[in-house]
Amino acid sequence: MLLSRVAETVYWMARYVERAEDTARIVLTHTNLVLDLPRQIRLGWASLLTITGSDEEFYTRFDNPTEERVVRFLVADPKNPSSVLSSLASAREDLRTTRAVVPRAAWEALDDGYRFAQGQAALGISRRGRYDYLRRIIEHAQLLTGLLDGTMSHDRAYDFLCMGRALERADMMTRLMDAGASNLSPAGSDDTEAFEDTQWMGVLRSVSAYQMYRRHVQVRVTGPQVLAFLLQDKEFPRSVLHSLERLEECLRGYGRSEAVLHILERAREMVSEANTRRLASEGLHEFMDSMQVVLGDLHDVLSTTYFRAEEPLRASVAA
Amino acid sequence: MPIRWENYPVSGVYDELIAADGRPRRAARQLSQYLASFTDQDLRERQAAAELAIRAMGVTFTVYSEEGGIDRAWPFDIIPRVIAAVEWRRVKAGLKQRVTALNCFINDVYGAQRIIKDKIFPQALLADSGNFRSQCMGATPRHGIWAHICGTDLIRDLDGTIYVLEDNLRVPSGVSYMLENRLVTKRVFPELFQHHHIAPVDGYPSRLFDMLASLSPRQGHPPTMVVLTPGIYNSAYFEHSFLAQQAGVELVEGRDLVVADDDCVYLRTVDGLERVDVIYRRIDDLFLDPEVFRADSAIGVRGLMRAWRKGNVALANAPGAGVADDKVVYAFVPDMIRYYLSEEPIIPNVPTHVCIDKQQCEYVLAHLDQLVVKPANESGGNGMLMGPQSTRKQRSEFASRIKKNPRNYVAQPALRLSTAPTLCSSRLEPRHLDLRPFVLSGGNGYVTPGGLTRVALKRGSLVVNSSQGGGSKDTWVVDDEDV
């Protein structure tokens, strides 16, 4: 038996942890990119706000998106509800209310991670300390994921936890690809071509996918191939398709799942039918946007089905 | 330097471990001898080990502040409080007797009201009792039991007599700390448990489970049982979640429950609605059901009282059970025991003068400088007069308050609470304490061996409340008969 409230809380807990991890990865990717690119290509920081969907939140409080400001906003700003720090704080609060279903060690790991993120925030914003800080955040999140996988019963609460993680990961993956590619000038321009490889390698590295890509794709790193790998690869655990299939697995054995499965199928079709060759040169941002809309729909229907089902309050339902 | 018990300052009070001549009491002899072999450093190390264990176990209580609730580690003193098994047998019988009578009383006042008709208990007291719930009239909970979980506070006076200070019949808390205290002590003094016959306390969660199951309206059907909490910001949330885990039932909030049109209570689950049989509620009466009590309650369940009155769900404790823990009603408990059980009370009440009685009121007014005056419906020591420490002005102020509203006041002699050795910056010093045993009543009964000992950590202080600098100790019921 699983309470709807508990299901929703662990679902969000997993989403927040994944969001913290992936936001850290996005900032890390962008920072590396800035370091790699030659001086004549000026890379702004404003695009990170668009990618993470936080333009409005940012510009109501600030006007000039400087590196320092954007990084602080995305990493350590307690007033930004989706900063790394806020995400960890929300995850911690969620875990606090569901300690009965989650192993104690997981609570301790998350608590440690949050305390680290909070205590060392100044380090995370500085360019010098950023790499180590964000790596540590990512490691904390990975540790928690591992602890849950290895010590929590794979029960219904775990199903919802995995659903939350899968959905957030798919969503953040689309944003991350967007982040890695959106700064490229149109293909073919002399200045940029030479750096394309560097840039796509950076994207792969940011999701720890470089080695797996090399092992499984066996062609040189190119935009279309990287997009195909991160969108459509069945085996790589951070690819969008993999996350969608994970979600579907979790739903197995649940009644009333038709509406969810329907949207899931739509999302899967979009991913499978994506023409990555074309997306590598144009329309990537729009495509990722529309993916995010479908993933949002998926969340909505999941919520209404399992978290706040307004059933007819009749005794017959109990059977 | 080892502890020299002859230098331990027992003065003018009863100490639980050390007699007035500086020699350990019989049941505490082994423990005292053992502690005497400790250096200050040893003691400090054990206390540090205990603090570490508490932090690792996540034992906390919540303190409110402007920024919201903060979890504080539970303050714990490593020196156990010892009670001889032979004394405990009497206390246990006394507690059972008392809670049985209290349940008879509650069942009676919401039913035939025989005790009023027989002029043992005044009608007027019931009418303006703050915890009487007219909405419960005529309800018939299973077994006739209303107070399923009772926490009774006991204190010991100078001459060694144990008294009941008060009965907590609404949502008494502290039992989780009793259980955790034992776990910590086992980690800190494992060697002591090999040589003592200490009554185990860890049976409580399964006794609680059995008791709750005995209340289920669907006997013969595996019951669905829940602990209903106000949520994580409640100061006792740790306990709610601990008990749910230990007893193996769900921890739920009001929004997880719904009363359907068949007047049954259901849980909202990912698979739809599931019928609930027993609710161990840790929410105050007035917040239980916005349909019947406070309409602005956001933590209750609409329709819960309907379901309960129809017998479709059991509530522990039953709504209205608090009628018997009013401080004026308390004064009548010995009479209740005589009336319902035809027995003499085994554990005495603290002698209590009720001002609603003219003669007693005159006595109180004449002896204000020797008495503690308490208002009937306040808790936590609010609005009290401590006679021996009071000024003339305070006394005359209280005298006029009492005359104005005699029903609202009771008075008791100022007792000298007993002490026990407590570690205070690596020295053992006497500190005042009380004891809260827990009594379960349902299809069968249970009394915890010992209970939660709360200790005032400040020298001379009588305040044992954890939010006001109180701590707690493990409580050992030690069988010393074959030692």
Side-chain angles (χ1 to χ4, degrees):
Chain A
M1 199 275 295
L2 180 64
L3 290 177
S4 294
R5 176 178 53 84
V6 173
E8 184 174 20
T9 312
V10 293
Y11 168 89
W12 273 111
M13 190 270 292
R15 281 200 79 147
Y16 282 127
V17 170
E18 186 67 29
R19 186 173 300 173
E21 175 180 342
D22 294 342
T23 305
R25 288 181 185 276
I26 288 174
V27 174
L28 205 55
T29 312
H30 195 81
T31 304
N32 282 334
L33 205 56
V34 171
L35 297 179
D36 283 339
L37 290 177
R39 265 193 216 132
Q40 57 268 36
I41 303 181
R42 294 287 300 267
L43 202 50
W45 290 84
S47 59
L48 284 191
L49 299 170
T50 314
I51 285 154
T52 53
S54 38
D55 279 322
E56 201 185 317
E57 185 78 26
F58 184 87
Y59 290 109
T60 51
R61 288 170 49 204
F62 311 102
D63 34 67
N64 193 8
T66 63
E67 173 174 356
E68 198 269 344
R69 224 172 249 170
V70 171
V71 172
R72 179 190 296 280
F73 179 80
L74 291 177
V75 172
D77 190 339
K79 286 192 207 143
N80 170 13
S82 46
S83 71
V84 172
L85 193 61
S86 300
S87 298
L88 289 175
S90 304
R92 183 170 172 272
E93 205 53 31
D94 285 339
L95 191 50
R96 211 166 100 90
T97 65
T98 47
R99 273 159 87 167
V101 299
V102 175
R104 189 174 263 186
W107 160 256
E108 283 164 19
L110 182 54
D111 191 48
D112 275 358
Y114 171 71
R115 283 173 203 278
F116 166 77
Q118 196 187 33
Q120 306 291 313
L123 192 71
I125 292 154
S126 75
R127 245 196 201 185
R128 199 162 62 84
R130 197 179 303 160
Y131 180 80
D132 283 337
Y133 178 81
L134 295 174
R135 289 301 327 165
R136 287 278 300 274
I137 299 277
I138 293 165
E139 280 166 17
H140 272 295
Q142 289 283 315
L143 172 66
L144 182 66
T145 303
L147 264 172
L148 291 168
D149 179 57
T151 61
M152 178 172 174
S153 286
H154 289 201
D155 53 13
R156 317 204 93 189
Y158 191 71
D159 285 337
F160 278 91
L161 196 146
C162 290
M163 286 187 226
R165 184 193 298 141
L167 201 50
E168 184 71 21
R169 188 177 283 178
D171 177 271
M172 289 301 272
M173 210 47 226
T174 63
R175 296 175 193 275
L176 204 125
M177 283 183 266
D178 209 356
S182 67
N183 296 292
L184 285 177
S185 307
S189 121
D190 284 351
D191 276 348
T192 57
E193 202 162 4
F195 304 105
E196 271 195 29
D197 291 3
T198 315
Q199 193 162 358
W200 287 114
M201 258 186 263
V203 172
L204 285 172
R205 287 215 166 88
S206 73
V207 287
S208 313
Y210 182 69
Q211 196 187 341
M212 291 299 126
Y213 174 91
R214 279 302 195 197
R215 206 171 125 74
H216 295 287
V217 181
Q218 289 157 355
V219 297
R220 142 183 127 74
V221 176
T222 65
Q225 292 292 347
V226 170
L227 286 175
F229 185 72
L230 296 180
L231 268 176
Q232 297 159 341
D233 191 84
K234 270 180 171 298
E235 281 107 28
F236 185 65
R238 306 192 83 80
S239 85
V240 176
L241 185 64
H242 187 95
S243 292
L244 293 176
E245 290 190 343
R246 186 79 189 84
L247 193 62
E248 193 177 345
E249 261 170 56
C250 292
L251 277 166
R252 223 168 270 159
Y254 286 84
R256 306 181 296 147
S257 59
E258 304 77 19
V260 186
L261 290 174
H262 181 74
I263 299 188
L264 195 58
E265 194 44 44
R266 214 169 82 211
R268 199 218 294 263
E269 269 168 25
M270 277 178 77
V271 170
S272 311
E273 288 163 12
N275 181 341
T276 57
R277 187 169 305 279
R278 205 172 65 223
L279 287 177
S281 51
E282 59 173 330
L284 185 71
H285 182 69
E286 291 71 18
F287 174 77
M288 294 304 173
D289 263 0
S290 57
M291 275 306 306
Q292 286 153 21
V293 170
V294 176
L295 294 173
D297 291 347
L298 198 49
H299 163 79
D300 290 343
V301 67
L302 204 61
S303 298
T304 45
T305 307
Y306 296 113
F307 304 154
R308 47 195 119 264
E310 288 305 328
E311 302 178 57
L313 300 179
R314 284 178 205 294
S316 57
V317 185
Chain B
M1 204 194 98
I3 300 155
R4 299 174 59 108
W5 289 115
E6 55 272 30
N7 294 343
Y8 172 77
V10 180
S11 60
V13 291
Y14 183 102
D15 191 89
E16 298 286 339
L17 264 57
I18 308 298
D21 60 4
R23 296 197 1 207
R25 297 188 189 280
R26 190 176 137 114
R29 204 170 295 157
Q30 277 197 325
L31 173 65
S32 311
Q33 277 165 8
Y34 183 71
L35 289 173
S37 73
F38 272 50
T39 62
D40 290 357
Q41 180 63 23
D42 289 336
L43 277 176
R44 267 198 302 270
E45 278 174 21
R46 302 288 173 120
Q47 180 78 37
E51 277 160 20
L52 199 68
I54 286 169
R55 218 163 301 149
M57 286 156 60
V59 188
T60 59
F61 68 103
T62 309
V63 177
Y64 289 98
S65 70
E66 294 206 339
E67 294 85 54
I70 299 170
D71 281 349
R72 293 258 175 87
W74 174 245
F76 172 72
D77 180 70
I78 56 171
I79 312 297
R81 180 248 191 101
V82 178
I83 303 172
V86 58
E87 177 175 37
W88 185 252
R89 274 195 283 279
R90 209 183 61 85
V91 172
K92 180 177 163 183
L95 289 168
K96 276 194 172 164
Q97 176 197 53
R98 188 173 178 97
V99 174
T100 305
L102 283 166
N103 273 305
C104 290
F105 172 74
I106 305 166
N107 204 41
D108 190 16
V109 298
Y110 291 117
Q113 302 198 331
R114 283 196 303 129
I115 196 167
I116 295 172
K117 289 176 188 137
D118 289 340
K119 309 225 179 299
I120 309 289
F121 187 85
Q123 168 75 54
L125 269 185
L126 196 61
D128 54 4
S129 159
N131 294 316
F132 176 72
R133 307 270 172 260
S134 57
Q135 298 90 338
C136 298
M137 284 301 293
T140 54
R142 212 178 165 80
H143 311 295
I145 305 277
W146 295 64
H148 308 95
I149 299 133
C150 175
T152 295
D153 291 345
L154 302 176
I155 53 171
R156 198 198 290 273
D157 194 20
L158 184 58
D159 66 358
T161 310
I162 290 179
Y163 295 94
V164 174
L165 183 67
E166 61 183 47
D167 306 287
N168 295 284
L169 304 170
R170 282 170 282 175
V171 284
S173 64
V175 75
S176 60
Y177 301 116
M178 172 192 86
L179 297 168
E180 295 278 36
N181 286 353
R182 176 60 55 84
L183 289 181
V184 175
T185 310
K186 278 186 182 168
R187 284 200 202 178
V188 176
F189 292 124
E191 61 276 30
L192 280 172
F193 286 81
Q194 284 173 348
H195 307 299
H196 274 81
H197 298 278
I198 303 163
V201 295
D202 55 7
Y204 183 82
S206 43
R207 297 302 191 119
L208 176 66
F209 183 95
D210 292 346
M211 185 280 286
L212 293 173
S214 79
L215 310 180
S216 171
R218 292 189 294 172
Q219 291 291 319
H221 184 280
T224 301
M225 312 203 283
V226 301
V227 174
L228 175 60
T229 174
I232 62 165
Y233 297 108
N234 186 271
S235 61
Y237 180 77
F238 168 80
E239 173 154 307
H240 305 162
S241 122
F242 178 90
L243 287 175
Q245 274 177 60
Q246 295 291 311
V249 303
E250 280 306 310
L251 179 66
V252 307
E253 296 177 19
R255 56 197 159 120
D256 296 326
L257 298 173
V258 62
V259 177
D261 60 4
D262 59 353
D263 289 338
C264 291
V265 184
Y266 293 90
L267 275 173
R268 298 178 197 270
T269 83
V270 294
D271 298 304
L273 298 181
E274 181 172 324
R275 168 107 184 249
V276 179
D277 300 293
V278 183
I279 301 175
Y280 175 14
R281 52 100 177 194
R282 297 293 298 256
I283 290 181
D284 239 38
D285 282 356
L286 293 180
F287 293 91
L288 270 181
D289 180 356
E291 196 174 279
V292 174
F293 300 118
R294 284 181 60 154
D296 62 343
S297 171
I299 56 175
V301 185
R302 184 168 295 281
L304 189 56
M305 286 295 286
R306 247 189 294 135
W308 175 71
R309 288 196 61 107
K310 286 207 167 167
N312 291 335
V313 69
L315 291 173
N317 290 350
V323 67
D325 74 16
D326 171 303
K327 288 192 178 65
V328 184
V329 175
Y330 159 89
F332 290 85
V333 177
D335 290 336
M336 292 174 199
I337 294 172
R338 295 183 193 103
Y339 178 73
Y340 293 111
L341 310 178
S342 307
E343 293 172 13
E344 275 304 305
I346 300 171
I347 316 174
N349 258 12
V350 177
T352 303
H353 311 282
V354 292
C355 299
I356 196 172
D357 178 287
K358 210 165 177 196
Q359 240 177 333
Q360 296 186 39
C361 190
E362 273 164 26
Y363 175 86
V364 171
L365 291 170
H367 296 84
L368 278 178
D369 59 337
Q370 296 158 32
L371 296 170
V372 177
V373 183
K374 297 174 172 178
N377 286 318
E378 297 256 12
S379 64
N382 288 326
M384 270 171 45
L385 174 78
M386 302 294 288
Q389 285 92 42
S390 63
T391 62
R392 187 180 292 269
K393 187 164 167 265
Q394 286 171 324
R395 285 197 295 275
S396 73
E397 213 178 276
F398 256 80
S400 61
R401 276 195 227 168
I402 294 170
K403 283 180 209 153
K404 201 185 265 173
N405 185 7
R407 190 265 177 246
N408 199 36
Y409 290 93
V410 299
Q412 297 170 339
L415 299 189
R416 311 285 302 264
L417 250 57
S418 64
T419 60
T422 301
L423 185 56
C424 305
S425 52
S426 74
R427 279 193 41 176
L428 293 182
E429 293 181 17
R431 289 291 183 268
H432 294 292
L433 43 74
D434 74 354
L435 179 65
R436 177 177 289 184
F438 295 87
V439 184
L440 300 179
S441 314
N444 34 37
Y446 176 72
V447 179
T448 55
L452 177 68
T453 292
R454 298 185 299 174
V455 54
L457 296 173
K458 281 183 218 135
R459 184 193 308 245
S461 167
L462 299 171
V463 182
V464 296
N465 199 303
S466 59
S467 60
Q468 297 180 50
S472 74
K473 285 168 168 289
D474 191 15
T475 309
W476 292 1
V477 172
V478 172
D479 194 344
D480 62 338
E481 276 158 19
D482 49 15
V483 172

